[in-house]
Structures are given as C-alpha cells and as structure tokens.
Amino acid sequence: MKKRIKGNYMPDKKIFKEYILRSFLGQGAFGRVYLVENDIGLSFALKVLEKNVQVEKRGVESVMRIQSNRLVSIQDYGKTTDDEDCILMEYLPASLEDILAERPINELTAFKYFIEILLGLKVLERNNILHRDIKPANLFVLEDIIKIGDFGTARYISGESSSKTSGVGTLHYMAPEAFHNKYGFAADRWSAAVVYYRMLTGTLVFQGDDPAGIMGSIVEGKIDTDLLSYNYRPFFGKCFQKDPEKRYQSIDAMMKAAKNIRKSPEIQNQIREKKLKPVTQQKTKYKLRDKPIRAPNEKFYKILGLHSNLRPLGYIKNDFKDNKNNTVTDRATGLIWQKSGSDTYIDYKAAQEYIQQLNRRRFAGYNNWRMPTVEELISLLEQEKQSNNLYVSSLFDKKQLWCWSSDKRSLSAAWHVQFDRGYFHYFEEKCYVRAVRSLPF
C-alpha cells in the first residue's frame, strides 16, 4: 500500500485539475513543492501555499502576463483536491543554490550567470515588477540560461521606487534601504551583486553572528575586498554603496561595467592562456590534499614529511578571517573551517554522521562540508601554544582538543591531529570532529 506524501496527498493520484502527483520536492518558507505530471507525461512544479497566500497570488498574477524565457513560467493557479491554494509552474530541477552548494564554479561561469541574472531583472523592470527576493535559491539554471523564479514577494510598482514597499526578502541579500520600507529596483540590483560576489568568492559579502549583526553589516559595514582581485574592487564598491543614488542607475550600466572587467588586460591574458581561475585563487598560497587515503605509519610519515615526534617539518602561515557565522576562512589554504565542531568526542562512524547532519541542515548555508584530511588539519597547527593553551589559533573553539581526519591507517583505525599536543597520531576509539569545505577553485 502506498504511503501518503507530505501534506496528506496520495502519490500517482490527481492533486490539481488533471495533474498527477509524482513526488515531494521540498519545503519552503511559505509552502510545499511537489513534482506533478499532466496527462501526456510533462513535468511541472506545484507549489501548495501555507502562508501569505494573498500576497503570493498577487505576485504571481503580476508575472503571469509576462512572456519571457528569463523567468520561470507560471502555468496556472487554483485549489488542490484538498482545497489548498496552489500555483502550477515550469519545473526546473537545478537552482543556482544547489550548484553552489555542490561544487565551485569558475570565474567565466560566474560572469555568464551574472549577466543572465541581470537580463532577467531587466525583463522584470521593463514590466515594473520588483522581485524583492533575488538569491541563488530563486535562480534556476537551464543549460546556460538563468531563469528567475519564486514570485511570492514580487509586486508591481509604478516607478523606480515605491514608498509603500515593505521590507521583505532573505536577510543576507537585502539592500540597506529595504530595512526602511522604501525601496525599488536598486534593491534587486544590490541582491544580484551579492549573488555575483558569492559566486566569485564562495562566501557572502555581508555577515554577522545573528540577524541583528547581519543587518548592521549591511546598513553600516564595509565590504571585504581581500577575496577580490583589483579589477573587481571598483565594481563591487559601487554596487554596495549604501545610498541607492550612488550605485549603478540601470541594469545596462551594471552589465557594461561587468563586461569592462572582462576586457581588462589581466583577465584577457588569463583567457588567452586558458588559465581562467576564480578570483579567490589569487590569495591562496598552499594547495593541500583534500582526498582521503589509507596508509600505514612509515608511508604516512613519508607522505607528510614529519619529524620522528610526529610534528610538521614546517608550519603554514595562515591568513584567517572570522566569517561571523561560526566559520573561519583560511585564505592561505582556501579552506573554510568550523570554528567549533562536535560537542563531544565520538567514534568514527558517528563523526561521518555528524558531517552528514551538517549538510542536511546546510550549516552556514552550505551542504558540501566534509571531514578534513590530516594534511588539512596539520595546516592549522601552530609551532607554539596559543592563548587558548592549544597549538591552534584562538579563533577556534578550545573544546576540540583532538580531531578525526578522513585518512585511515587501517580498516579499524583513523589518523587524527591532537591540538593539545601539537602532533598527529592514529586512534580506534573516539575523537572530536571539525568540518571543512573548500573555497571555489
């Protein structure tokens, strides 16, 4: 007997008009999304609304009349078989958020995607539609095209700005004027620039320890240009001016400025030499092994180049940046670390499950966390004890005295690094775990 799908609907039964329910796709802030098929087998996404129903329907009605391949098309809306409000949309399986979480993208792809996002915004602006929630999760990738979707927050405005527009959106991507409930198309352009910055650097431009801290960073903070090459700094400096009047005043102006970066001698040389790399790589000094291996003592010591006391022959000069979201970026190695880790010491299987749990709940906004290799863990070691009485920077939580690596000594033993003693060893029982992920390369 088939089980009901979330929302109390039966699979392979009609859920809306002639559309057959196939599977549950996910839960959003305002509703559930299902995969459905029509009577000839074409797939669509059906969003069943749970909150802000009238607001979402108004946004959809504003967009339905627009015919453009830059926007996720809205097919229909009405009531499900269970009398819930729903919206039938074009089905696109891959969002930009999915892609960024799974793998890094190179600089050329980031540029192409950014131009695609701006072209979509241009369509909306031409029709006097303000989206108000531009972010990777609402941008859908179809081959080389980016389509803007999720119009629940969209609204029609009569001019460049509106005094009646309320502050909605996703915090990290919101423009400073959005917090004052008076904003317009410049806010969507700001959000697009935040997406571009994230594609290039692998991190969000405005961060904080909590919502108030993030908001403060957006309203008053300066952008971190360290992860950007010189060519990009003037562009993002203008994109993130607090006063909308000091930013690019049109989509065309933004596109022209972005394209001019591509024409700079430095970028052109990279293209000619087929060495186009993400901006972040220019700051990286050390490339560390990220794939786990299994090796006995002698081979492992040789691979790592260690003293007989299991300490490194040399120490990396780290370049740490506290991301204010319980993570630390080491710009010297291109790695992003948890500041803390597991609350208790756990066995190896539990450590692997801990990593999976981080990815399921998208810790710090990502689902590509992994267990570090010994080589990566050793890169954190300091030659002398720090103020936390450990051989690791005091930026990190001192609770994790020793941490599992992904490298194995045998089937039953894994290598680990001891931050309380400053060396590495192998273990068969329990350790803490600190997750890592790589910046885009």
Side-chain angles (χ1 to χ4, degrees):
M1 181 177 179
K2 291 183 178 179
K3 294 182 180 179
R4 291 184 180 273
I5 293 177
K6 186 170 184 179
N8 207 32
Y9 293 102
M10 289 296 294
D12 304 323
K13 299 290 184 182
K14 288 184 179 180
I15 183 174
F16 171 65
K17 296 184 177 180
E18 76 273 19
Y19 296 91
I20 305 297
L21 174 61
R22 293 306 184 199
S23 64
F24 173 70
L25 293 176
Q27 178 80 44
F30 302 125
R32 310 180 303 274
V33 183
Y34 300 92
L35 178 66
V36 300
E37 288 183 359
N38 64 8
D39 51 8
I40 60 172
L42 295 178
S43 295
F44 297 85
L46 185 75
K47 184 175 183 178
V48 177
L49 307 179
E50 296 175 336
K51 298 179 182 178
N52 294 359
V53 173
Q54 294 307 315
V55 173
E56 182 117 13
K57 288 171 72 175
R58 282 199 299 270
V60 166
E61 289 169 352
S62 299
V63 174
M64 278 188 72
R65 59 185 173 80
I66 304 173
Q67 299 297 317
S68 172
N69 68 344
R70 304 290 176 187
L71 310 179
V72 175
S73 63
I74 308 297
Q75 305 294 319
D76 201 355
Y77 66 94
K79 298 280 189 178
T80 69
T81 54
D82 208 22
D83 201 36
E84 293 185 287
D85 291 282
C86 65
I87 300 167
L88 185 72
M89 305 172 289
E90 176 183 9
Y91 172 60
L92 296 168
S95 74
L96 182 56
E97 180 64 53
D98 297 328
I99 291 173
L100 291 174
E102 290 176 3
R103 64 181 185 274
I105 59 176
N106 63 39
E107 188 179 0
L108 178 57
T109 302
F111 168 75
K112 289 180 177 178
Y113 284 174
F114 180 56
I115 296 299
E116 286 290 314
I117 296 166
L118 294 183
L119 289 171
L121 286 181
K122 192 172 183 179
V123 171
L124 291 176
E125 287 192 17
R126 195 163 54 232
N127 288 275
N128 293 319
I129 303 295
L130 180 63
H131 190 280
R132 300 196 294 178
D133 197 17
I134 295 296
K135 61 181 179 180
N138 291 338
L139 303 168
F140 296 87
V141 182
L142 181 63
E143 296 179 349
D144 289 333
I145 296 174
I146 294 278
K147 293 193 173 196
I148 299 176
D150 201 340
F151 302 103
T153 58
R155 62 162 295 175
Y156 178 87
I157 61 174
S158 57
E160 178 66 27
S161 64
S162 171
S163 60
K164 297 180 181 179
T165 299
S166 58
V168 298
T170 301
L171 186 55
H172 282 102
Y173 297 89
M174 291 172 69
E177 62 269 24
F179 301 110
H180 303 297
N181 295 346
K182 184 178 180 180
Y183 60 102
F185 297 131
D188 279 351
R189 297 173 208 145
W190 170 289
S191 301
V194 177
V195 175
Y196 192 24
Y197 184 98
R198 180 179 166 191
M199 286 192 290
L200 287 171
T201 67
T203 190
L204 289 161
V205 59
F206 298 105
Q207 302 186 30
D209 293 327
D210 52 33
I214 298 168
M215 178 176 157
S217 176
I218 293 170
V219 174
E220 299 178 354
K222 295 181 179 180
I223 68 169
D224 181 0
T225 59
D226 286 351
L227 295 177
L228 297 166
S229 74
Y230 175 80
N231 292 326
Y232 286 90
R233 294 177 187 182
F235 174 76
F236 282 106
K238 188 164 185 174
C239 286
F240 296 132
Q241 287 289 323
K242 308 304 181 184
D243 181 355
E245 296 298 320
K246 295 182 179 179
R247 298 178 211 148
Y248 295 103
Q249 294 301 296
S250 69
I251 292 293
D252 287 338
M254 285 188 79
M255 284 198 291
K256 182 178 179 180
K259 289 177 180 178
N260 283 340
I261 297 171
R262 307 292 305 161
K263 295 177 182 178
S264 68
E266 178 184 330
I267 300 297
Q268 286 300 306
N269 286 338
Q270 290 178 343
I271 294 171
R272 280 194 294 271
E273 296 171 10
K274 297 183 180 180
K275 291 182 179 179
L276 192 63
K277 299 174 183 177
V279 177
T280 51
Q281 186 165 359
Q282 298 178 25
K283 286 287 179 182
T284 302
K285 301 175 182 176
Y286 308 94
K287 177 60 178 172
L288 305 178
R289 174 177 56 83
D290 58 1
K291 304 300 182 187
I293 61 173
R294 191 173 84 190
N297 294 21
E298 296 77 9
K299 183 177 179 181
F300 217 81
Y301 303 160
K302 185 176 181 180
I303 290 172
L304 294 174
L306 300 170
H307 284 296
S308 57
N309 60 8
L310 302 182
R311 294 181 185 276
L313 291 173
Y315 291 82
I316 281 176
K317 186 176 181 181
N318 303 103
D319 183 11
F320 291 129
K321 174 180 177 288
D322 189 338
N323 297 320
K324 306 299 184 182
N325 62 351
N326 295 317
T327 69
V328 174
T329 297
D330 183 2
R331 289 170 287 204
T333 60
L335 297 175
I336 301 176
W337 293 91
Q338 271 187 294
K339 288 183 74 171
S340 184
S342 60
D343 289 331
T344 60
Y345 48 90
I346 52 181
D347 63 32
Y348 198 76
K349 182 179 180 181
Q352 294 172 313
E353 292 172 352
Y354 172 83
I355 298 291
Q356 293 171 6
Q357 185 180 34
L358 287 182
N359 288 325
R360 281 194 295 270
R361 62 185 177 91
R362 302 183 68 83
F363 173 70
Y366 295 93
N367 65 355
N368 59 345
W369 296 96
R370 55 183 172 79
M371 208 170 323
T373 64
V374 166
E375 193 169 315
E376 290 172 326
L377 280 171
I378 286 178
S379 75
L380 297 180
L381 284 178
E382 300 283 354
Q383 195 164 4
E384 304 292 338
K385 281 190 174 182
Q386 306 298 296
S387 59
N388 55 9
N389 204 33
L390 298 176
Y391 292 90
V392 66
S393 168
S394 56
L395 276 173
F396 295 94
D397 190 341
K398 63 182 181 181
K399 180 188 294 183
Q400 290 73 33
L401 301 178
W402 52 90
C403 290
W404 284 121
S405 81
S406 58
D407 295 322
K408 301 293 288 289
R409 177 179 178 267
S410 65
L411 289 175
S412 61
W415 297 99
H416 71 282
V417 170
Q418 298 189 353
F419 293 113
D420 58 338
R421 300 181 181 180
Y423 62 77
F424 93 108
H425 212 277
Y426 64 89
F427 211 56
E428 296 185 24
E429 296 180 16
K430 295 183 178 181
C431 279
Y432 293 92
V433 59
R434 172 174 286 139
V436 72
R437 57 181 293 269
S438 301
L439 281 169
F441 281 94

